[in-house]
Amino acid sequence: MYSGNAATLRRIDVLTRILRGKPDKSASRCLSGINKVTIDGVSKDIKPSPNPEYIPRQYLRQDAEGYLDVSQTILHHMRWMLQKDNLGQDIFLLGRPGPLRRNVAMQFIELTQRELEYVSLSRDTTESDLKQRREIEAGTAKYHDQSAVRAAIHGRVLVIEGVEKAERNVLPVLNNLLENREMNLEDGRLLIPAERYDKLLEQYGTEELTRWGLVRVSEDFRVIALGLPVPKYRGAPLDPPLRSRFQARDVTNLSYQ
């Protein structure tokens, strides 16, 4: 009983000193502008969004000087994510159950003014939920692109939540999209990476590539996966080929800073 009270008093004392103390000049700062965002020396140019309604809103707050009003822990996470984004790598955020991982991802996407596509995986998720769904319109069957396809084509950030719940039949689709930036669609089209598409475009032209059913995957396309550590929590561990496609980071609880 005494040790518990002592620990509580120490936490209150630390919190009091943080609130009364002066701002730490060595702390990480984030400056967000119209055309550029910088976190502790790591910068990224912001491209104007053709569809601003896809950008998350009200996840970030700024002070009067234009700096983000977030904790140092969140800034460290977002600085790491900004580095991986500049390198063109996909991200895997691990942590305890709760909204923290999702909030960090949304704050990062809002900070960089990126468009968002979201998909939540479950035991019932199939390939059609990631690729295309067939729907009847005016008596005619049409294929509609789903979140993963729209994100790849338009260069958006695809947030995949619940990766540990993915079934075996869904993993090859995700692995091919992450590793090769390729995906076979139900309507006969084929997503291919931007570098390969641009080379073919120089040789054959747009009309020929359209006739072949080739679709360019934007170089700005990124994936942020959210998952739980398994086997500590219930779920299926990721296969090594899929796990190697991500740059993982442990998103723990927030500190006092």
Side-chain angles (χ1 to χ4, degrees), residues 145-198:
D145 296 339
Q146 297 304 298
S147 299
V149 178
R150 294 195 302 265
I153 295 176
H154 300 290
R156 297 168 181 165
V157 178
L158 176 64
V159 175
I160 304 177
E161 187 163 11
V163 180
E164 74 281 353
K165 302 176 184 177
E167 291 290 343
R168 295 292 180 180
N169 61 329
V170 179
L171 295 180
V173 178
L174 293 177
N175 186 47
N176 195 30
L177 181 63
L178 292 172
E179 179 183 6
N180 303 317
R181 291 301 197 253
E182 293 181 354
M183 179 182 288
N184 291 303
L185 303 181
E186 301 297 333
D187 60 1
R189 293 181 298 165
L190 173 64
L191 301 183
I192 62 175
E195 183 179 357
R196 188 187 309 173
Y197 184 92
D198 294 340

Side-chain angles (χ1 to χ4, degrees), residues 188-190 200 204 207-214:
R189 293 181 298 165
L190 173 64
L200 294 174
Y204 301 100
E207 295 183 0
E208 192 69 15
L209 297 185
T210 303
R211 189 176 64 86
W212 292 347
L214 300 181

